[in-house]
Amino acid sequence: MRIITQELIYPEGPIALDDGSVLVVEIERQTLSRVTAKGEIEVLAQVKGGPNGAAIGPGGDVFICNNGGMDWLREAGGTRPGLQSVDYAHGSIDVVDTKRGTVRRLYERCGEFQLKGPNDIVFDHEGNFWFTDYGKRRSRDMDLGFVYWARADGSEIRQVAEGLITPNGIGLSPDQRTLYVSETVTGRIWSWDVVGPGELQKSPWPAIAGARLVVGIGGQVRFDGLAVTAAGNICVAALDAAAVYEFSPSGDVIDIYEVPDKLVTNICFGGTEMQTAFITMSHKGCLAAVDWSAPGLRLPNQR
């Protein structure tokens, strides 16, 4: 493991670029930042609220899941997120023009319902995207979570799965026929068949959210962001388990990679052979690079 930088302020949503740099959101700092291969940090845009997951869109702009903001706690020599912030209004999908540093709001509601806490995002080959809405936690209650599909031009957004508990990471299989979502609190990974633009095949009751259970790891393991390998395995950051778990599509454990941080939050793939894993270690504010055992899946619009 190579530590690229230890100077980030709760990084997430890594995007590996072909020039060797990595884009990350810094949730507490409220920025989209670029980290060079030498560990230099350049702030590309200020994104007010809580910039969380990120992905490059069809035109090269960066689409950001903005959770709307949260309080922060200093504990055990690092930082961790707390409850919904006092100035929170709602969540949104924001779009950053990295050349100009400008931010525009694309979606803040689906029909009559406001977005609560968008968390992670993945594009498909048609230029549309899927994203999770984690919801927000308050002192005595919390929101149910949802999965949405939307068009990148702002013309349509659909709620496609509901009633989840803290849905977080999201990804598509190499053939884009399967959608994966990880839940944080339950430590589960769910999947659905993708049958059309913004359409999931739902299993009948008593299936939760119409999904198939891929993984239910049990124990004190919480999941955050995920990435898919070229072979179709699911690599998921396991937060305070201090690890990245790699599962087969059928849920078998392929390997467990230990990571020296109390809050391992996300993973993406890059490098010339797509065999470098970039991992955000958010408690200490680190970005690390690891030579992975097999190539990761190159994402749509990755450049």
Side-chain angles (χ1 to χ4, degrees):
M1 176 174 287
R2 305 179 299 281
I3 303 297
I4 300 171
T5 180
Q6 303 179 71
E7 303 298 326
L8 298 166
I9 305 179
Y10 213 88
E12 276 226 47
I15 303 170
L17 303 181
D18 289 344
D19 64 2
S21 63
V22 181
L23 301 181
V24 296
V25 296
E26 295 183 77
I27 304 180
E28 185 182 5
R29 185 180 280 169
Q30 300 183 29
T31 64
L32 174 67
S33 303
R34 175 177 172 266
V35 182
T36 70
K38 295 181 179 180
E40 300 162 331
I41 301 170
E42 175 191 6
V43 172
L44 301 180
Q46 295 287 332
V47 185
K48 294 182 179 180
N52 217 130
I56 297 175
D61 289 342
V62 177
F63 286 63
I64 289 179
C65 288
N66 191 327
N67 66 43
M70 60 185 74
D71 293 329
W72 295 95
L73 305 173
R74 307 286 180 252
E75 197 164 51
T79 300
R80 69 180 179 92
L83 302 177
Q84 172 181 305
S85 63
V86 294
D87 58 352
Y88 166 83
H90 53 74
S92 61
I93 300 297
D94 298 337
V95 182
V96 176
D97 181 329
T98 57
K99 295 180 180 178
R100 297 183 175 88
T102 57
V103 182
R104 62 184 173 89
R105 183 141 295 172
L106 188 67
Y107 296 105
E108 59 184 36
R109 61 176 58 246
C110 178
E112 63 181 298
F113 299 105
Q114 287 188 323
L115 301 180
K116 295 290 190 177
N119 189 285
D120 207 356
I121 179 173
V122 65
F123 273 88
D124 61 26
H125 289 314
E126 285 72 47
N128 308 310
F129 61 93
W130 308 79
F131 70 96
T132 55
D133 191 326
Y134 186 101
K136 303 298 283 188
R137 291 189 304 119
R138 294 163 291 275
S139 60
R140 297 182 65 90
D141 63 82
M142 61 188 290
D143 299 315
L144 289 175
F146 298 84
V147 180
Y148 294 94
W149 172 93
R151 297 190 185 276
D153 62 2
S155 63
E156 184 181 7
I157 180 172
R158 299 181 193 173
Q159 176 184 309
V160 296
E162 55 284 317
L164 294 161
I165 301 172
T166 61
N168 195 318
I170 191 167
L172 288 162
S173 61
D175 62 9
Q176 304 224 326
R177 295 179 180 176
T178 305
L179 182 73
Y180 297 107
V181 168
S182 62
E183 284 184 325
T184 298
V185 170
T186 66
R188 291 173 174 173
I189 299 175
W190 302 99
S191 73
W192 298 261
D193 291 336
V194 178
V195 294
E199 295 183 36
L200 301 177
Q201 180 67 51
K202 300 286 190 69
S203 299
W205 181 86
I208 295 175
R212 297 185 300 269
L213 179 64
V214 179
V215 170
I217 199 69
Q220 196 168 338
V221 178
R222 300 185 303 152
F223 289 150
D224 203 302
L226 64 83
V228 177
T229 69
N233 291 339
I234 308 152
C235 301
V236 59
L239 280 175
D240 34 20
V244 172
Y245 283 70
E246 183 172 358
F247 299 101
S248 72
S250 60
D252 297 320
V253 177
I254 303 299
D255 213 335
I256 301 172
Y257 303 84
E258 294 183 359
V259 180
D261 193 84
K262 295 180 184 298
L263 289 172
V264 184
T265 54
N266 224 312
I267 177 173
C268 75
F269 290 102
T272 54
E273 303 297 326
M274 293 299 292
Q275 209 160 334
T276 301
F278 296 95
I279 299 171
T280 50
M281 302 154 64
S282 298
H283 186 248
K284 294 291 188 181
C286 301
L287 176 67
V290 179
D291 296 328
W292 211 250
S293 56
L297 180 66
R298 188 174 185 86
L299 296 175
N301 314 311
Q302 191 168 351
R303 55 179 175 80

